[in-house]
């Protein structure tokens, strides 16, 4: 499979993350914010988004598996790495690369809500349109994209292409 059309350029991503970072800065002013990145895909978004947040944020990461090497969601969610710290009474913002079936976030929200954070919100760079998913409120969203498999900016195909600075389609993936 080859990299296809560029869907979202590096400049467009940067502009969007600047807006999202400004909104987060406004909303969490005076609050103690913990960003939780979902590995591996979200590490690029997390790094770039965080640098547009003008607050003394803290970072933590979770590793979740909901996708094998296939290009379709399996619905199976497994925690491979849990958080390093407690989140009780913390303001928590989950940072995701992409919302597809929403199964990963749905599961994560339930799992983290039990730990009684002061607040729990979602930020996602990409949201696939036209996909049926459980109700999910993404407070900070980047781009809506068609329901096609994409790579780049943290998203992989068989472990590769996460380093592309843009989001692109994959020829022959759907
Ligand atoms: P969901 O649970 O919303 O179906 O999918 C969540 C995870 O599946 C994402 O965090 C991402 O790792 C992976 N995923 C979903 N759609 C895509 C896609 O188009 N391309 C890639 N590379 N990964 C995807």
């Amino acid at each position: 499979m080859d990299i296809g059309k560029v869907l979202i350029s590096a400049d467009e991503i940067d502009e969007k993350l600047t807006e999202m970072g400004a909104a987060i800065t406004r909303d969490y002013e005076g609050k103690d914010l913990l960003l939780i990145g979902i590995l591996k895909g979200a590490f690029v978004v997390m790094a770039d988004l965080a640098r547009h947040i003008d607050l003394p944020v803290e970072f933590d990461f979770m590793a979740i598996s909901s996708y094998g090497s296939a290009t379709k969601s399996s619905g199976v969610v497994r925690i491979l790495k849990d958080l390093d710290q407690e989140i009780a009474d913390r303001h928590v913002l989950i940072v995701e690369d992409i919302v597809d079936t929403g199964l990963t976030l749905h599961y994560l929200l339930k799992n983290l809500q039990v730990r009684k954070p002061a607040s729990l919100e979602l930020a996602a760079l990409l949201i696939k349109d036209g996909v049926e998913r459980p109700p999910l409120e993404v407070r900070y969203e980047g781009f809506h994209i068609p329901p096609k498999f994409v790579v780049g900016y943290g998203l992989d195909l068989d472990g590769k292409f996460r380093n592309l600075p843009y989001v692109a389609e994959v020829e022959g993936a759907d």
Side-chain angles (χ1 to χ4, degrees):
M1 280 186 269
D2 292 321
I3 299 303
K5 189 174 93 185
V6 173
L7 262 192
I8 309 171
S9 71
D11 283 349
E12 288 170 318
I13 295 172
D14 187 56
E15 208 174 298
K16 185 63 80 178
L17 291 181
T18 306
E19 284 170 22
M20 291 167 73
I24 293 167
T25 303
R26 267 196 313 274
D27 294 352
Y28 289 92
E29 180 86 65
K31 289 182 179 150
D32 183 23
L33 177 61
L34 174 67
L35 297 178
I36 296 182
I38 310 304
L39 297 172
K40 299 175 184 157
F43 81 100
V44 180
V45 183
M46 179 97 156
D48 287 349
L49 176 63
R51 280 177 287 182
H52 289 296
I53 301 174
D54 190 14
L55 296 171
V57 295
E58 285 179 49
F59 290 67
D60 206 340
F61 292 92
M62 272 179 110
I64 296 272
S65 145
S66 68
Y67 244 70
S69 59
T71 59
K72 294 270 184 285
S73 201
S74 63
V76 178
V77 177
R78 223 157 34 102
I79 295 187
L80 305 177
K81 181 215 168 287
D82 206 338
L83 298 173
D84 291 336
Q85 49 190 301
E86 304 283 326
I87 58 165
D89 302 322
R90 304 286 313 267
H91 291 283
V92 173
L93 178 60
I94 300 177
V95 179
E96 248 299 29
D97 45 11
I98 189 164
V99 182
D100 183 3
T101 65
L103 290 171
T104 311
L105 283 176
H106 186 71
Y107 169 85
L108 261 183
L109 283 174
K110 275 200 298 190
N111 183 290
L112 295 181
Q113 205 61 263
V114 174
R115 309 183 196 188
K116 303 253 184 302
S119 68
L120 183 60
E121 299 290 348
L122 296 176
L125 180 68
L126 306 171
I127 315 236
K128 281 193 194 172
D129 281 337
V131 179
E132 263 195 57
R133 61 176 70 99
L136 210 58
E137 199 201 319
V138 182
R139 165 79 69 95
Y140 307 98
E141 50 178 43
F143 302 92
H144 284 259
I145 61 167
K148 291 195 168 168
F149 190 80
V150 293
V151 292
Y153 211 77
L155 293 164
D156 74 309
L157 173 64
D158 283 344
K160 301 208 171 56
F161 305 122
R162 292 190 196 275
N163 57 320
L164 295 178
Y166 49 81
V167 173
E169 289 179 359
V170 177
E171 276 170 14
D174 295 294

